Amino acid sequence: MHRIDCPWCGVRDESEFQYQGDATVSRPKFKASEEAFFRYAYVRENPRGWHTEWWHHVGGCRQWVKVVRNTLTHEIHVTGTPADKLAHPRKVKSP
Amino acid sequence: MHYSALSLLWQGLKGHKGWGRMWRDPEPKSEYDIIIIGGGGHGLATAYYLAKEHGLKNIAVVEKGYIGGGNVGRNTTIIRSNYMLSPNTHFYEKSMQLWEGLEREFNFNAMVSQRGIINLYHSDAQRDAFARRGNAMRLAGIDAELLSPEELKERVPILDFDNARFPIEGGLCQPRGGTVRHDAVPWGYARGADSRGVDIIQNCEVTNIRIEGGRAVGIDTNRGFIGARKIGMAVAGHTSHIAAMAGIELPVESHVLQAFVSEGIKPLLDTVVTFGAGHFYVSQSDKGGLVFGGDLDGYNSYAQRGNLPMMGHVMAGGMAIMPSIGRIRMLRQWGGIMDMSFDGSPFICKTGIDGLYLNGGWCYGGFKATPASGWCFAHTIARDEPHALNAGFTIDRFKQGRMIDEKGVGPNPWIQ
Ligand SMILES: Cc1cc2nc3c(=O)[nH]c(=O)nc-3n(C[C@H](O)[C@H](O)[C@H](O)COP(=O)(O)OP(=O)(O)OC[C@H]3O[C@@H](n4cnc5c(N)ncnc54)[C@H](O)[C@@H]3O)c2cc1C
Ligand SMILES: [Zn+2]
């Protein structure tokens, strides 16, 4: 069970949240190239290790929470609001 | 050694001490004509068909763990060809036809059991959608039958036909669908490939793909460099990781899917039932255990284990449709890593790099595809061009707007 620290509600169970994917991609400007839109819609790094991602607190405050989580261990390093710039842990743990 | 009733009898008389290895354990050579990365079902089937259908020699399959340790030994063993979109319809039907002759062909008992698969529907709209899919299947020459509630009651009496939330209005049945003993599939293909000269190299992890002048020339592994003229990638859940070694970016995310097995019980269910609306599907193994599963856990993961919320959700789905299983105890549970593509359909194609080929994006449905995937991938590698059956399964389809989105849910791999 992931336990996610919502900046608004505190630590809550994963089952209150809906996963919303990679938080490092952002919608290109309207006039951006087709390539930019293609990458936005389809290309993902899909890392083994630290991943910055969205969890929608749909069963709580309904805010979007940014989470840095390890895809190999499911460990959560840090959470924040959408505007927060969250860093990955400096030393990547090799589990 | 040819397996037969006679060889079984003979070995029985000798106390079963004379069975040889099923495949050799060779040291890697310094160079091969073709290397397949990944010794799962797809990699081994590819090597088998390269040797058998194309007469090629000097082939290796390199596997970082042991044969059968990946998804090929983790799935819920369902085979079917009940798709609607034509690239999928024809491809999966090819696979079904290969399953039908496979055991005889590679002389190994994979317990292919065509016990039928039934998708339940609960509303008029869902019935119409299922009828449409069934018609698409029949137009392609595939068996499909729409079952009325009465027919369904006869066929699967243990379902809850008095369910207020999801009233069962009927089901779409593919009689030729069913189950296969999953472990036997890589074993049978490995044995068949090995006997045709393919080297199967276990405990050999690929750490880099070497590319020189736009051409793949070999792989770095924990057992040293191995040269190759052609390289096929078939690593399922690790597709992004291996493709990144060659600088290829993919519309793929890795997600965990769980499977569950109950204690053995007397015969209860003689077909496969899927309750899509409740995220639950089930069959009964020959040992008597109910084998069931549901949806992805729903977050990127390489951890090969699932979490409690999805476990509870799957059990609730089971209880909703088959309340009689409530007192059965759970015996086993595990997870596997799915390479979820962004339209739910696979890749069997060339890449932008000469001599490098991609097989992946199998999502949670790649077990049934194993024979056709190997067959088509072997064709693509041997001829350096796709077969008509896999011509649509390219990486470029996303850029060209030719997605094969069977579910119609768009680029959200965790709900595909
Ligand atoms: C719980 C669960 C239920 C499923 N149910 C079904 C079902 O009912 N029906 C169905 O059709 N499909 C099902 N699937 C999907 C199916 O199992 C997979 O799509 C399919 O097995 C993937 O192909 P594979 O057999 O080649 O994969 P794998 O067996 O995973 O083979 C890939 C191999 O590549 C190896 N590898 C990875 N990286 C490297 C490297 N760097 N170097 C060397 N080797 C490497 C891995 O160790 C692995 O052995 C299910 C999957 C799961 C997890
Ligand atoms: Zn909250």
Side-chain angles (χ1 to χ4, degrees):
Chain A
M1 174 78 80
H2 292 97
R3 303 266 290 154
I4 299 169
D5 192 0
C6 172
W8 293 274
C9 311
V11 178
R12 297 300 178 96
D13 281 355
E14 158 194 344
S15 37
E16 288 186 12
F17 294 81
Q18 166 71 49
Y19 184 72
Q20 296 290 355
D22 190 332
T24 63
V25 286
S26 54
R27 193 182 171 82
K29 293 232 163 58
F30 183 64
K31 289 265 169 65
S33 63
E34 246 177 63
E35 175 71 18
F37 275 98
F38 161 71
R39 296 186 62 83
Y40 161 64
Y42 295 113
V43 177
R44 296 293 179 271
E45 198 192 328
N46 191 21
R48 294 209 293 209
W50 296 106
H51 189 230
T52 308
E53 57 198 25
W54 297 118
W55 288 79
H56 184 196
H57 197 181
V58 70
C61 62
R62 301 191 69 82
Q63 297 280 2
W64 284 50
V65 183
K66 203 186 256 182
V67 177
V68 175
R69 192 181 57 96
N70 193 308
T71 60
L72 283 162
T73 62
H74 295 174
E75 179 191 345
I76 291 175
H77 172 61
V78 63
T79 62
T81 72
D84 290 341
K85 289 209 170 15
L86 306 180
H88 291 187
R90 197 90 68 70
K91 260 218 170 130
V92 178
K93 280 188 197 159
S94 51
Chain B
M1 179 193 289
H2 186 79
Y3 294 156
S4 65
L6 203 66
S7 66
L8 185 62
L9 185 72
W10 178 237
Q11 289 300 333
L13 292 173
K14 296 201 302 178
H16 292 293
K17 292 203 172 126
W19 298 108
R21 299 183 64 100
M22 296 217 297
W23 57 85
R24 297 163 295 128
D25 184 22
E27 280 300 312
K29 293 192 230 165
S30 62
E31 200 177 12
Y32 289 92
D33 287 346
I34 302 175
I35 291 177
I36 305 297
I37 307 175
H42 293 225
L44 292 165
T46 304
Y48 172 84
Y49 291 114
L50 277 168
K52 178 165 176 288
E53 301 289 328
H54 303 276
L56 296 171
K57 304 252 175 315
N58 204 16
I59 302 165
V61 176
V62 294
E63 165 55 47
K64 76 172 172 186
Y66 62 94
I67 296 303
N71 292 330
V72 71
R74 291 169 182 269
N75 59 71
T76 41
T77 79
I78 298 166
I79 61 166
R80 57 190 173 89
S81 55
N82 55 0
Y83 286 74
M84 190 174 80
L85 303 179
S86 64
N88 284 335
T89 318
H90 297 290
F91 172 79
Y92 286 104
E93 177 55 18
K94 169 75 180 175
S95 213
M96 185 59 83
Q97 289 171 9
L98 288 169
W99 283 120
E100 285 169 339
L102 189 65
E103 299 168 285
R104 212 167 274 268
E105 185 189 315
F106 68 17
N107 178 231
F108 202 80
N109 183 4
M111 294 162 71
V112 176
S113 163
Q114 292 181 293
R115 56 184 71 182
I117 179 164
I118 300 172
N119 310 135
L120 302 179
Y121 59 81
H122 314 275
S123 67
D124 293 358
Q126 208 183 4
R127 177 201 58 213
D128 293 351
F130 280 23
R132 182 173 173 229
R133 178 155 53 90
N135 285 334
M137 290 164 63
R138 293 175 78 129
L139 281 172
I142 303 168
D143 57 325
E145 289 168 16
L146 206 61
L147 304 180
S148 68
E150 290 69 37
E151 289 169 316
L152 199 55
K153 255 180 217 160
E154 192 120 306
R155 188 74 211 274
V156 196
I158 53 153
L159 295 176
D160 177 10
F161 286 91
D162 199 19
N163 189 304
R165 177 73 182 83
F166 292 107
I168 297 174
E169 288 199 5
L172 179 65
C173 175
Q174 184 185 15
R176 283 159 67 242
T179 58
V180 176
R181 181 186 178 199
H182 55 201
D183 301 305
V185 174
W187 297 343
Y189 274 124
R191 177 167 164 269
D194 174 88
S195 70
R196 288 172 174 82
V198 173
D199 281 0
I200 294 166
I201 302 160
Q202 304 182 62
N203 300 312
C204 184
E205 178 167 4
V206 176
T207 52
N208 183 37
I209 298 175
R210 277 203 216 169
I211 294 158
E212 283 169 16
R215 239 207 113 72
V217 295
I219 53 173
D220 292 302
T221 78
N222 58 343
R223 293 168 72 170
F225 174 78
I226 313 175
R229 297 200 305 129
K230 291 181 175 180
I231 299 172
M233 303 179 277
V235 296
H238 298 273
T239 298
S240 298
H241 184 70
I242 212 87
M245 292 177 190
I248 299 170
E249 298 173 316
L250 292 174
V252 166
E253 278 184 7
S254 295
H255 286 262
V256 63
L257 181 69
Q258 307 190 49
F260 309 89
V261 181
S262 78
E263 62 185 326
I265 53 171
K266 287 184 178 169
L268 181 75
L269 183 65
D270 64 357
T271 183
V272 182
V273 173
T274 77
F275 171 36
H279 312 157
F280 176 81
Y281 63 91
V282 61
S283 66
Q284 185 169 18
S285 81
D286 294 324
K287 280 192 286 187
L290 294 179
V291 180
F292 57 95
D295 280 354
L296 300 172
D297 269 38
Y299 44 79
N300 288 48
S301 176
Y302 286 94
Q304 279 203 151
R305 63 181 150 77
N307 251 318
L308 281 169
M310 185 47 75
M311 247 181 249
H313 185 67
V314 172
M315 304 301 158
M319 284 302 291
I321 213 72
M322 289 170 50
S324 58
I325 65 172
R327 295 175 69 182
I328 294 173
R329 281 164 299 190
M330 295 308 306
L331 209 59
R332 299 189 284 137
Q333 169 276 347
W334 63 85
I337 302 305
M338 319 282 71
D339 44 342
M340 298 300 299
S341 68
F342 276 49
D343 62 356
S345 295
F347 305 105
I348 307 177
C349 58
K350 297 169 67 168
T351 65
I353 296 158
D354 285 340
L356 185 66
Y357 305 84
L358 174 67
N359 177 311
W362 290 103
C363 304
Y364 40 73
F367 177 63
K368 67 175 110 65
T370 306
S373 167
W375 194 90
C376 288
F377 200 35
H379 183 286
T380 307
I381 295 172
R383 308 271 178 92
D384 199 36
E385 63 181 19
H387 187 273
L389 285 169
N390 65 302
F393 297 150
T394 63
I395 312 174
D396 296 346
R397 68 176 183 263
F398 293 90
K399 235 178 217 175
Q400 298 162 345
R402 292 188 293 104
M403 282 71 80
I404 310 169
D405 190 349
E406 191 84 28
K407 264 197 180 175
V409 297
N412 302 302
W414 58 91
I415 54 171
Q416 263 292 353

